[in-house]
Amino acid sequence: AQRVTQPEKLLSVFKGAPVELKCNYSYSGSPELFWYVQYSRQRLQLLLRHISRESIKGFTADLNKGETSFHLKKPFAQEEDSAMYYCALQTGANNLFFGTGTRLTVIP
Amino acid sequence: DSGVTQTPKHLITATGQRVTLRCSPRSGDLSVYWYQQSLDQGLQFLIQYYNGEERAKGNILERFSAQQFPDLHSELNLSSLELGDSALYFCASSPQGARDSYEQYFGPGTRLTVT
C-alpha cells in the first residue's frame, strides 16, 4: 500500500536560513510526487511536481528512489514561505495520497 | 481562486444525522476528488469521479457516498454521522482522470462539525 511520511509536524527557521522539509514515501509502483502548499487563509495549491524538475519560489525537490524520499529544499527562507506543506504521492488513477503535513514558520 | 466551489462553508449537525456537501469543479474539468482533513488523520483521499463514473475509492466509510452529475458537479453524502466525522472536507478537480500527472485544483473546503 502507498504511504507518505512527513516526520516533522512543525518546523521553524530564521529568515535567510536554509530550509528542508522531509518527505518519505512507500509505493510499489513508479512514484509521481508532488508538494502542495496551503498559505494562511488560502486554498491548498500545487507548489511543484517531481517530473517537472522545476524550481518554484526558490523551492526544489529531488526524487531519490534509493532513499524513497522527496525532500523540499530552499537555500534562503523568506517570511512569505510560512505555510503548511504537504507531500503527496500520485497513484495510477491520479489520486493523491498526502502526508500529514509540516507547518513551516519563518522567523523574521 | 482555483475555480472550484464548495457549499456550504460550514455545517453544524447532530450525531445520527445526514448531510450533503456540494462541489462544482473548474469549468472543463472532468475529474472530481473528495478528501477529508481531520486533526489526527491529516488529508485523506476518499473517492474520485471521472465524467460521472466512480474511478477510484480511498478510505471512504460505507456510511459515506458520492456521485457526479451530468453537469459534472458532485455531492458527497455523509449519513449516520458520528463525532469523529467532524473534519474539513475538500473537493478538488482536474482535467483528466488517469495516468496523467495533472495538477488538482482544490476548493475552499466545507467544515463539518458533528455535535
Side-chain angles (χ1 to χ4, degrees):
Chain A
Q2 59 281 327
R3 187 182 189 91
V4 178
T5 304
Q6 292 180 253
E8 303 139 327
K9 266 192 164 175
L10 303 169
L11 183 63
S12 295
V13 300
F14 285 100
K15 178 182 171 182
V19 61
E20 181 180 51
L21 292 94
K22 291 186 168 45
C23 172
N24 287 90
Y25 67 90
S26 168
Y27 182 51
S28 57
S30 185
E32 292 200 46
L33 288 142
F34 302 77
W35 278 97
Y36 276 76
V37 60
Q38 190 169 26
Y39 300 103
S40 179
R41 300 182 189 283
Q42 292 188 30
R43 303 172 185 215
L44 194 61
Q45 58 188 285
L46 178 67
L47 179 62
L48 55 80
R49 66 192 88 187
H50 93 268
I51 58 167
S52 301
R53 297 183 172 275
E54 56 200 345
S55 172
I56 303 291
K57 299 185 179 183
F59 283 98
T60 58
D62 290 317
L63 177 60
N64 186 323
K65 290 188 179 180
E67 295 182 359
T68 60
S69 68
F70 188 57
H71 304 326
L72 184 68
K73 299 177 186 178
K74 184 169 182 175
F76 308 104
Q78 303 298 315
E79 287 179 65
E80 55 265 30
D81 297 329
S82 295
M84 194 75 181
Y85 291 81
Y86 293 93
C87 181
L89 169 70
Q90 180 187 284
T91 62
N94 204 32
N95 305 319
L96 289 174
F97 289 87
F98 286 87
T100 47
T102 298
R103 182 169 296 283
L104 174 66
T105 301
V106 180
I107 305 163
Chain B
D1 187 344
S2 66
V4 178
T5 60
Q6 288 186 249
T7 56
K9 254 187 159 178
H10 303 278
L11 199 46
I12 301 174
T13 189
T15 54
Q17 295 298 305
R18 173 191 167 94
V19 297
T20 297
L21 313 184
R22 184 189 166 102
C23 168
S24 291
R26 290 190 325 155
S27 176
D29 282 359
L30 299 178
S31 272
V32 169
Y33 311 79
W34 286 97
Y35 295 89
Q36 179 193 57
Q37 185 179 40
S38 56
L39 280 174
D40 55 344
Q41 298 275 349
L43 198 60
Q44 291 211 75
F45 167 68
L46 295 177
I47 197 164
Q48 178 202 0
Y49 276 81
Y50 174 69
N51 204 20
E53 305 263 333
E54 182 185 300
R55 176 60 64 92
K57 262 185 173 177
N59 296 326
I60 188 166
L61 300 171
E62 282 194 21
R63 299 183 284 109
F64 296 1
S65 65
Q67 53 185 327
Q68 187 179 26
F69 294 87
D71 66 353
L72 299 177
H73 91 270
S74 177
E75 293 182 354
L76 179 68
N77 301 296
L78 316 176
S79 61
S80 303
L81 285 167
E82 301 175 0
L83 295 177
D85 298 327
S86 296
L88 201 50
Y89 290 84
F90 286 105
C91 165
S93 74
S94 72
Q96 296 292 344
R99 304 209 173 277
D100 293 306
S101 183
Y102 283 99
E103 176 177 353
Q104 290 188 20
Y105 296 87
F106 282 78
T110 292
R111 183 169 293 284
L112 173 67
T113 303
V114 182
T115 61

